[in-house]
Every structure is written in C-alpha cells, then in structure tokens.
Amino acid sequence: MRSNVFLSLFFIVLFALSPLSPAQEGTVPGIQVRNLLVTELEKGTDIQGASNQVSEKVIDEALYFDASGTAYLAENQKVFESLVGLLNDNASGFELAIAGFAQLPDQAPQVVTITILMFPDSASEVYNIALQMQVISEEDALLAVINAGIDPSTLTATAAGGTGNTFSPLGVGTGAAGAGGGDTTISAN
C-alpha cells in the first residue's frame, strides 16, 4: 500500500511537469468541462453546486461527448458529478483517475470509463494506474476502457512491470488458433 502511494505521487509529479499543448486543450472534453466548472466557481457557486450544475448541463445539452458517451454519463450521473467536482484540483486524466479512485473506491470501473471519456488521450495512463493501484481487476479495467470507446489494442501495458510494451488483446499470440503465426499444435513429447 505504501509503495502504491509513493508510486502515485511520483507519477503525479512526472505528469505535472509535462506541458499540455494549447491545441490539445481546446478539444479535450475534460478540459472543456473543467472550464465550465471554473466559470461556475468564479460566479461564487460552491464546488458541490457547481459540479452538479455542470454535470447536468453537459448531459442535458449533450456537450463535448458523442451520443454513447453522453448516455454513459447520464447512466452514471452521480459518479460523473463527483469527478466533475474533482476537476477543480485535477486537470489531467491521470490526476483525475487517482483522485477518483480515492474518493470512489467502490466505483472504479465507472471512474476509469468516465475519466477516459473526459481525457481519451490518457487511456493508457488511466488503465495502468487503475491496475497499479489495484482498485480494479484487469478484466474489469479492459471492459471499462471498451465502454469508453477505446480499442484495447491501442493501450500500452506498464502495470505488470513492463516498460511501455504494446498491449496484446486476448486471443493474440502463439496458442491462440494461430493468430500469432506460430504452431499451435500441442506436442506429444
């Protein structure tokens, strides 16, 4: 547990030092939602009220997300509202995932999916931190990624101690009906 905290803090510092390009900032749904939140907070609305208003507005007006993303947010509105509130102090997908897992440990699959919906370019980071923090099983993490509309073959797996190896979806490789090009025949030796 203690090593997970240190690992998490290391990644937070590392990610905070990496700049976000201005071009990327305008198209990332999470940044757009955060901008709405900041606007509400600047009006004097408390964080709970602002996160409620922003989450309702995003869902009701179908802002920033495609139809399936908006539908998922509507089905999980309380988790979305909580994550919107966390955007005030967590401006990246990586940071939001960590804060979300801490605040909503029983809803890790929803945290993964919603965080990736808000920060799609952070899918691998969110997937990996969920596995590293051991808040979700690998199967549930993959399902959460798929629910966010991400092709799991695009993930890079570093959770199991790898160093950015490309994730292979289930069924690929030797012994999987020849998908990896190797001989799948069981040896009698």
Side-chain angles (χ1 to χ4, degrees), residues 1 12-13 28 31 44-45 52 70 107 114 120-121 124 138 149 153 169 176 187:
M1 174 71 178
I12 289 171
V13 170
V28 177
I31 299 296
T45 309
N52 179 278
T70 301
Q107 292 150 329
I114 293 170
D121 291 343
S124 287
E138 186 173 1
S153 69
S187 173

Side-chain angles (χ1 to χ4, degrees), residues 12-164:
I12 289 171
V13 170
L14 182 66
F15 195 79
L17 296 176
S18 64
L20 183 65
S21 73
Q24 184 183 23
E25 188 173 310
T27 60
V28 177
I31 299 296
Q32 294 171 318
V33 172
R34 186 174 190 275
N35 290 340
L36 287 177
L37 180 69
V38 169
T39 300
E40 287 300 317
L41 293 172
E42 288 174 349
K43 291 178 183 176
T45 309
D46 66 283
I47 189 70
Q48 183 62 38
S51 62
N52 179 278
Q53 289 175 7
V54 169
S55 64
E56 284 182 9
K57 180 176 182 161
V58 168
I59 292 169
D60 292 345
E61 296 178 18
L63 299 175
Y64 315 126
F65 301 93
D66 64 15
S68 63
T70 301
Y72 187 87
L73 297 176
E75 291 170 17
N76 297 282
Q77 186 166 358
K78 285 297 180 191
V79 176
F80 178 52
E81 181 180 319
S82 295
L83 291 174
V84 168
L86 293 172
L87 280 172
N88 187 44
D89 295 323
N90 304 284
S92 71
F94 184 81
E95 293 171 341
L96 183 61
I98 292 171
F101 297 141
Q103 184 171 327
L104 305 162
D106 295 335
Q107 292 150 329
Q110 292 90 343
V111 170
V112 170
T113 300
I114 293 170
T115 301
I116 292 173
L117 284 171
M118 289 200 281
F119 297 94
D121 291 343
S122 298
S124 287
E125 293 171 319
V126 172
Y127 170 78
N128 284 315
I129 197 62
L131 295 178
Q132 289 170 355
M133 292 178 69
Q134 299 176 351
V135 295
I136 191 171
S137 71
E138 186 173 1
E139 289 101 13
D140 287 344
L142 285 172
L143 288 173
V145 168
I146 292 168
N147 281 337
I150 302 295
D151 178 359
S153 69
T154 64
L155 298 176
T156 53
T158 58
T163 54

